[in-house]
Amino acid sequence: MDSCNCIEPQWPPDDLLMKYQYISDFFIALAYFSIPLELIYFVKKSAVFPYRWVLVQFGAFIVLCGATHLINLWTFTMHSRTVAMVMTTAKVFTAVVSCVTALMLVHIIPDLLSVKTRELFLKNKAAELDREMGLIRTQEETGRHVRMLTHEIRSTLDRHTILKTTLVELGRTLALEECALWMPTRTGLELQLSYTLHQQNPVGYTVPIHHPMINQVFSSSHVVKISPNCPVARIRPAGKYMPGEVVAVRVPLLHLSNFQINDWPELSTKRYALMVLMLPSDSARQWHVHELELVEVVADQVAVALSHAAILEESMRARDLLMEQNVALDLARREAETAIRARNDFLAVMNHEMRTPMHAIIALSSLLQETELTPEQRLMVETILKSSNLLATLINDVLDLSRLEDGSLQLDLGTFNLYAVFREVLNLIKPIASVKKLHVSLNMAPELPEYAIGDEKRLMQTILNVVGNAVKFSKDGSILISAFVAKAELLRDSRTPEFFPVPGDNHFYLRVQVKDSGIGVSPQDIPKLFTKFAQTQSTAIRNSGGSGLGLAICKRFVNLMEGHIWIESEGLGKGCTAIFMVKLGIPERLNESKLAFMPKVPPNLGPAAFPGLKVLVMDENGVSRMVTKGLLVHLGCDVTMVSSSEECLRVVSHEHKVVFMDVCVSGMDGYEIAIRIQEKFTKRHERPIIVALTGNTDKVTKEKLMRVGMGGLILKPVSLDKMRSVLSDLLEHRVLFEAV
Amino acid sequence: MDLVQLQRQLVDYRTSLYHEGFLDEQFTQLKELQDENNPDFVVEVVSLFFEDSERLLNELSKALEQQVIDFKRIDAHVHQFKGSSSSIGAQRVQKLCIVFRNFCEAQNVEGCLKCLQQVKHEYSIVKTKLESMFQLERQILNAGGSVPV
């Protein structure tokens, strides 16, 4: 058939195949057109699609394919040349695009595939990170638990609470079945079950400490897994199946007596407690690393907390001990004070009471000596005199010493003749020395001043004591007394390093040496010589009597005189030398005229020593008032008597130069009156000097009197001479302090 | 008796008083105070002492007879008595006063009563002795002599 341009009937009746082709083409075209639409739609929906260009290409390819198939629809029937042209164009284009696309795909498909692998990789990574996150979280939780546990443990300083809390918290955190603490016993040979989580009162269950498993735990600072059959782990009722895993860790215990900070990391002698932790049985749980770390940390914390608790206990105990000691010391101090007060009271009483009878005995015995006696009687009287002198000396020594110790002894300074003192000593000692056939010689350096200022009586007492000792302890030989002014070089003696005398313008140091050839002293006894009542044990000394107080008192006197005394001896049988240095004042030349009147008024000055001196006597006791008046009248004073304090205040006037006031030991009147009198006379020169008459001369009374402003104090009973010297002293110096 | 004998008797008597402890040094002091201006000083003082003591002893007896004994007052009286006796040198009396005071402090009624008796006894003895001594002195003076010191 020729191709013609006429339109053929629509459906050639016998071409069914053609019909099916026509329909398929139509649907194909439809599908082909819808695919790019879908693609565009979905790509638009998704945000990420890197291959736009590929899509366009693919879209073009599909569209053209669809177009081709669509145009095919027209070619089933007779069609014109234009259709054929269009068809051809479409086909050509389609071919081009498909080839290009095919070429493009070669590049693209590997890329697309690699995307897939990357995706897989990322997924793995995410899973890994997840796992790590889980781990970190567990660790952080563990850390939190540790902190919480530590806080609980360290919040208390009580040992039991610490341990109990540890077990409870550990049990909770780690969900343990049982947690137990074994402490070493006192002997250190066994471990005793001390604390458990669930059993309330573990009954002294002990395990010997030298078990290999226990040793293994103790030797490692980490947590050690132990077998559930270990004796320390067998403390719970057997589970049905498998007992849970058990770990044990050592807890170092602080042993206080070995506590040295430097040793802390090493812990030399170690005592450990054992902490055993058991997982619940019948569970498949295992000990995880982080749990073990937790346990280790906790064990360390517990050790620290326990050590703190131990230290606290120790310090509390020490504090209690100190308090007890304080109480005991306080008691001892109060007892000592009571004892001292008792002694002072005793001395105060004895002071007067002892001296009076002694005085009477001595006075009367000496009077007796003057009378006519048979030789036997004379001997008896001499013995009495000697013994009573000794006794008087002893009493005086003891009283002196107690006053020296009291610190209440003051030197009576005055100007005296130094040569006279030594001469006096020599005179006193010569009789005894000649009896013993000892030769005594005195050597006084020419540069010694004739007069010196110091306490004459006590200086003489010291020299006499030293010389007396020399005589006492020598059986034969000679005694050499030398006195000279201590030179500056000699002042620094290597034997007396603490003594640094400094000579000055108005004082000098008198150095006296007494050398004897007697029994001497052994070098180790020398320090004891100056202690009270101590005597060396040789019989010679014991036979010669003496209380051992002499040197002690001398030392005190010498110290009061700012000096030093010591004894040198080369040994027993080699004699000894006693040396002392005292500080004496140099009297000024101008006072030479005074020297003649210092300080004792000679007894034959005559009765009217103080003519017309107006004095006031206040005494409640009529008899003693009269006696005192008699004394003063005898001395020429103009005496006014009053018998009470009110009268005294009324009568006293500025004409009265001295007021003698009797102050009884217990009454306070005297002191108050003194104050009132002082208030009455505001001008110093109008005020009378107030002197107290009393029987008590202890330190307390004197202090009271000084505080109140009394001019002086006289011990009753008052003799005529005493009153005379008191008045002369008073009027010269306006102050006395004490006349005994 | 002639003068010398009288004087010797006085000296012996006085010495015995000292020896037996009735008098002590204080009495000697009193005697020293006696001179031309005060010829009767000792007698005056001793007479005053006797008056004072009688008074004090009466007070003491009364005080100790009371129902409720005021030990403070008694102590004060004894203190006075002690003072006076020591001022004239009546040694034994003074010593007893000290003992008396101790009993007062201890508030021991029995002791106080006993002491009071003793004190009275001693006092009367010393009074008698002193009076005899003064009588001797007066005799000597009447005989024209001087009293030995």
Side-chain angles (χ1 to χ4, degrees):
Chain A
M1 242 205 289
D2 287 327
S3 53
C4 55
N5 287 341
C6 45
I7 304 208
E8 304 237 325
Q10 196 80 352
W11 308 108
D14 54 302
D15 214 346
L16 201 63
L17 283 163
M18 283 290 205
K19 211 200 287 184
Y20 280 129
Q21 274 194 352
Y22 187 84
I23 293 173
S24 327
D25 267 334
F26 176 72
F27 274 112
I28 288 171
L30 201 65
Y32 273 23
F33 280 135
S34 58
I35 286 176
L37 287 173
E38 285 170 13
L39 269 172
I40 290 171
Y41 173 71
F42 281 115
V43 165
K44 271 232 158 69
K45 265 264 171 121
S46 97
V48 161
F49 195 73
Y51 300 110
R52 287 266 155 101
W53 174 242
V54 171
L55 201 66
V56 165
Q57 266 183 320
F58 205 63
F61 161 66
I62 294 255
V63 162
L64 279 169
C65 277
T68 314
H69 279 284
L70 191 64
I71 294 171
N72 237 3
L73 283 178
W74 271 266
T75 52
F76 285 112
T77 51
M78 291 302 289
H79 51 275
S80 61
R81 201 182 163 74
T82 5
V83 174
M85 280 296 292
V86 168
M87 185 76 206
T88 322
T89 333
K91 274 216 173 126
V92 167
F93 270 129
T94 310
V96 167
V97 170
S98 8
C99 287
V100 168
T101 310
L103 281 169
M104 272 275 105
L105 273 173
V106 170
H107 288 285
I108 289 173
I109 288 183
D111 269 348
L112 285 174
L113 282 177
S114 79
V115 163
K116 208 63 196 164
T117 46
R118 230 177 285 160
E119 190 190 312
L120 219 63
F121 175 70
L122 279 170
K123 234 197 235 165
N124 284 342
K125 206 70 185 169
E128 213 178 284
L129 278 170
D130 261 339
R131 251 176 298 144
E132 268 177 29
M133 267 300 287
L135 231 79
I136 289 175
R137 227 178 277 133
T138 354
Q139 271 183 355
E140 204 235 327
E141 266 213 23
T142 313
R144 221 168 7 93
H145 277 132
V146 168
R147 272 196 299 279
M148 185 258 304
L149 260 166
T150 312
H151 175 74
E152 286 290 328
I153 291 171
R154 302 287 289 274
S155 66
T156 166
L157 281 172
D158 172 42
R159 196 183 203 145
H160 296 282
T161 322
I162 290 174
L163 293 169
K164 225 26 198 189
T165 315
T166 314
L167 297 180
V168 164
E169 292 297 326
L170 265 179
R172 214 155 44 86
T173 312
L174 298 171
L176 299 171
E177 178 183 358
E178 181 62 84
C179 185
L181 190 72
W182 299 73
M183 303 278 271
T185 56
R186 223 162 255 294
T187 57
L189 294 173
E190 291 180 326
L191 283 177
Q192 186 180 27
L193 182 62
S194 317
Y195 301 92
T196 60
L197 192 52
H198 293 301
Q199 297 171 20
Q200 279 313 100
N201 294 317
V203 181
Y205 190 49
T206 59
V207 158
I209 210 170
H210 294 295
H211 193 277
M213 216 167 274
I214 299 180
N215 281 337
Q216 188 195 6
V217 177
F218 278 174
S219 53
S220 152
S221 64
H222 295 292
V223 178
V224 174
K225 267 207 188 86
I226 60 176
S227 143
N229 293 326
C230 180
V232 291
R234 266 195 257 132
I235 57 164
R236 53 177 171 183
K240 293 186 208 97
Y241 301 109
M242 280 291 293
E245 288 200 348
V246 183
V247 293
V249 68
R250 71 177 188 188
V251 180
L253 290 178
L254 190 64
H255 206 45
L256 266 171
S257 55
N258 296 341
F259 184 51
Q260 287 165 21
I261 299 187
N262 307 332
D263 277 86
W264 181 239
E266 292 134 23
L267 291 172
S268 35
T269 35
K270 296 162 195 123
R271 275 174 26 128
Y272 296 110
L274 192 72
M275 194 152 61
V276 176
L277 303 113
M278 298 176 225
L279 287 178
S281 36
D282 308 337
S283 79
R285 259 182 72 186
Q286 296 247 326
W287 282 100
H288 299 168
V289 172
H290 68 267
E291 288 173 343
L292 296 179
E293 282 173 4
L294 179 81
V295 170
E296 271 171 36
V297 169
V298 167
D300 277 337
Q301 287 297 321
V302 165
V304 172
L306 281 178
S307 69
H308 283 191
I311 291 176
L312 180 75
E313 267 178 43
E314 191 70 19
S315 76
M316 298 280 279
R317 227 177 321 136
R319 190 195 66 169
D320 284 338
L321 200 67
L322 272 173
M323 275 184 20
E324 271 177 37
Q325 279 181 346
N326 265 353
V327 167
L329 278 173
D330 210 27
L331 190 66
R333 183 180 56 97
R334 265 181 283 129
E335 281 178 7
E337 279 178 7
T338 322
I340 289 177
R341 253 179 290 131
R343 184 201 70 172
N344 285 343
D345 287 341
F346 170 76
L347 283 177
V349 167
M350 282 293 140
N351 208 338
H352 181 62
E353 310 301 344
M354 282 212 289
R355 284 204 168 122
T356 320
M358 278 316 306
H359 203 111
I361 297 173
I362 294 175
L364 291 176
S365 322
S366 34
L367 275 177
L368 197 55
Q369 261 190 332
E370 307 286 318
T371 64
E372 278 189 35
L373 299 165
T374 69
E376 293 164 355
Q377 286 174 327
R378 192 163 287 278
L379 200 61
M380 286 192 251
V381 170
E382 273 171 12
T383 317
I384 294 175
L385 202 54
K386 237 191 327 181
S387 318
S388 36
N389 270 327
L390 257 168
L391 189 58
T393 317
L394 186 60
I395 293 174
N396 281 334
D397 277 355
V398 170
L399 289 171
D400 259 351
L401 198 61
S402 60
R403 274 198 304 162
L404 277 170
E405 297 204 320
D406 227 10
S408 63
L409 192 74
Q410 283 167 323
L411 295 177
D412 291 328
L413 297 176
T415 312
F416 60 93
N417 187 329
L418 203 56
Y419 286 81
V421 166
F422 281 95
R423 272 199 297 269
E424 180 84 28
V425 167
L426 210 58
N427 288 338
L428 284 170
I429 213 71
K430 267 227 167 82
I432 309 175
S434 61
V435 162
K436 280 184 131 181
K437 299 213 173 31
L438 293 166
H439 181 246
V440 181
S441 59
L442 172 64
N443 179 15
M444 304 226 12
E447 67 262 14
L448 276 177
E450 199 185 337
Y451 288 97
I453 300 181
D455 187 336
E456 178 185 10
K457 184 176 100 172
R458 298 205 167 103
L459 180 63
M460 175 143 40
Q461 206 175 337
T462 311
I463 305 175
L464 198 55
N465 195 301
V466 170
V467 175
N469 276 347
V471 169
K472 214 192 316 181
F473 296 124
S474 305
K475 290 210 196 86
D476 50 38
S478 66
I479 298 184
L480 174 62
I481 310 173
S482 33
F484 41 90
V485 175
K487 303 277 186 307
E489 320 80 69
L490 291 177
L491 288 179
R492 273 164 212 271
D493 202 310
S494 56
R495 277 165 300 226
T496 59
E498 330 78 40
F499 184 53
F500 294 126
V502 179
D505 272 338
N506 51 3
H507 59 263
F508 71 99
Y509 281 86
L510 168 72
R511 184 182 161 114
V512 176
Q513 269 171 220
V514 179
K515 189 166 158 55
D516 71 52
S517 52
I519 57 172
V521 183
S522 62
Q524 59 258 42
D525 284 335
I526 290 188
K528 280 196 270 177
L529 285 172
F530 291 100
T531 45
K532 288 191 293 181
F533 304 117
Q535 300 205 34
T536 50
Q537 296 304 317
S538 80
T539 50
I541 299 176
R542 228 181 276 176
N543 289 337
S544 47
S547 62
L549 274 183
L551 277 178
I553 294 189
C554 284
K555 190 170 158 81
R556 297 284 164 78
F557 285 153
V558 166
N559 284 340
L560 271 177
M561 294 191 229
E562 296 178 50
H564 193 73
I565 179 170
W566 69 97
I567 294 208
E568 293 167 17
S569 171
E570 285 167 36
L572 287 168
K574 301 208 175 97
C576 95
T577 311
I579 309 171
F580 69 88
M581 285 202 266
V582 289
K583 182 174 170 184
L584 296 174
I586 304 175
E588 294 145 21
R589 301 237 150 232
L590 309 141
N591 288 346
E592 263 193 68
S593 53
K594 251 200 193 175
L595 293 171
F597 298 124
M598 280 285 201
K600 299 191 178 28
V601 179
N604 44 9
L605 189 58
F610 309 100
L613 179 69
K614 261 180 110 62
V615 298
L616 184 67
V617 172
M618 187 208 101
D619 193 333
E620 286 178 353
N621 187 310
V623 176
S624 58
R625 205 168 50 225
M626 213 169 145
V627 173
T628 317
K629 175 186 169 185
L631 274 173
L632 293 164
V633 163
H634 192 79
L635 292 171
C637 304
D638 176 2
V639 183
T640 319
M641 292 208 290
V642 292
S643 58
S644 73
S645 31
E646 295 85 20
E647 227 186 306
C648 177
L649 283 169
R650 249 187 304 125
V651 171
V652 74
S653 77
H654 62 93
E655 289 175 341
H656 294 112
K657 290 279 177 287
V658 188
V659 173
F660 286 95
M661 192 179 304
D662 176 277
V663 290
C664 37
V665 179
S666 50
M668 272 300 288
D669 284 350
Y671 308 115
E672 283 175 29
I673 302 170
I675 300 176
R676 301 258 201 90
I677 291 181
Q678 305 222 315
E679 285 169 8
K680 192 167 168 184
F681 299 97
T682 44
K683 295 207 197 84
R684 201 97 207 267
H685 65 90
E686 281 183 5
R687 224 183 268 168
I689 310 171
I690 306 174
V691 179
L693 295 164
T694 173
N696 191 339
T697 55
D698 71 76
K699 203 171 170 202
V700 175
T701 319
K702 274 207 278 200
E703 274 174 10
K704 261 199 258 185
L705 294 175
M706 278 170 86
R707 246 188 291 136
V708 159
M710 298 249 189
L713 151 63
I714 309 181
L715 186 62
K716 284 208 276 193
V718 193
S719 71
L720 192 59
D721 292 331
K722 201 195 293 187
M723 187 59 93
R724 204 186 276 128
S725 65
V726 161
L727 278 176
S728 62
D729 274 341
L730 269 180
L731 294 172
E732 278 219 56
H733 308 287
R734 269 199 82 86
V735 84
L736 165 77
F737 221 77
E738 176 183 350
V740 178
Chain B
M1 256 193 260
D2 73 324
L3 190 56
V4 176
Q5 270 183 310
L6 277 175
Q7 285 174 329
R8 170 155 296 152
Q9 201 184 7
L10 180 63
V11 170
D12 287 339
Y13 195 62
R14 235 190 259 151
T15 319
S16 75
L17 286 181
Y18 278 110
H19 188 67
E20 286 163 30
F22 286 105
L23 294 177
D24 64 18
E25 189 195 79
Q26 185 62 18
F27 193 71
T28 327
Q29 291 285 330
L30 282 187
K31 292 183 52 61
E32 278 191 41
L33 297 177
Q34 190 164 287
D35 55 21
E36 310 83 48
N37 302 334
N38 262 329
D40 296 318
F41 183 66
V42 180
V43 177
E44 280 173 19
V45 175
V46 176
S47 317
L48 185 57
F49 171 67
F50 290 155
E51 279 173 34
D52 211 32
S53 311
E54 312 268 315
R55 183 181 58 87
L56 280 171
L57 286 171
N58 277 337
E59 291 281 331
L60 281 169
S61 310
K62 261 194 283 186
L64 280 171
E65 279 165 21
Q66 302 288 328
Q67 282 284 48
V68 179
I69 297 187
D70 185 355
F71 281 103
K72 274 206 164 59
R73 259 188 82 208
I74 294 185
D75 189 63
H77 286 316
V78 177
H79 180 68
Q80 287 273 329
F81 200 14
K82 177 173 150 229
S84 337
S85 52
S86 77
S87 297
I88 69 151
Q91 199 185 43
R92 284 205 194 180
V93 178
Q94 183 202 1
K95 284 201 165 64
L96 276 172
C97 286
I98 298 172
V99 177
F100 201 148
R101 281 193 87 190
N102 287 341
F103 280 126
C104 273
E105 267 187 49
Q107 305 215 345
N108 182 342
V109 180
E110 290 289 312
C112 283
L113 283 168
K114 209 171 70 154
C115 247
L116 181 60
Q117 289 307 324
Q118 283 176 325
V119 168
K120 280 189 180 164
H121 180 68
E122 280 296 330
Y123 167 70
S124 62
I125 296 180
V126 87
K127 178 169 171 191
T128 322
K129 298 239 175 212
L130 283 169
E131 281 174 353
S132 347
M133 193 174 82
F134 289 145
Q135 205 182 15
L136 268 175
E137 287 183 3
R138 271 199 297 274
Q139 282 181 330
I140 293 176
L141 288 172
N142 288 344
S146 60
V147 178
V149 202

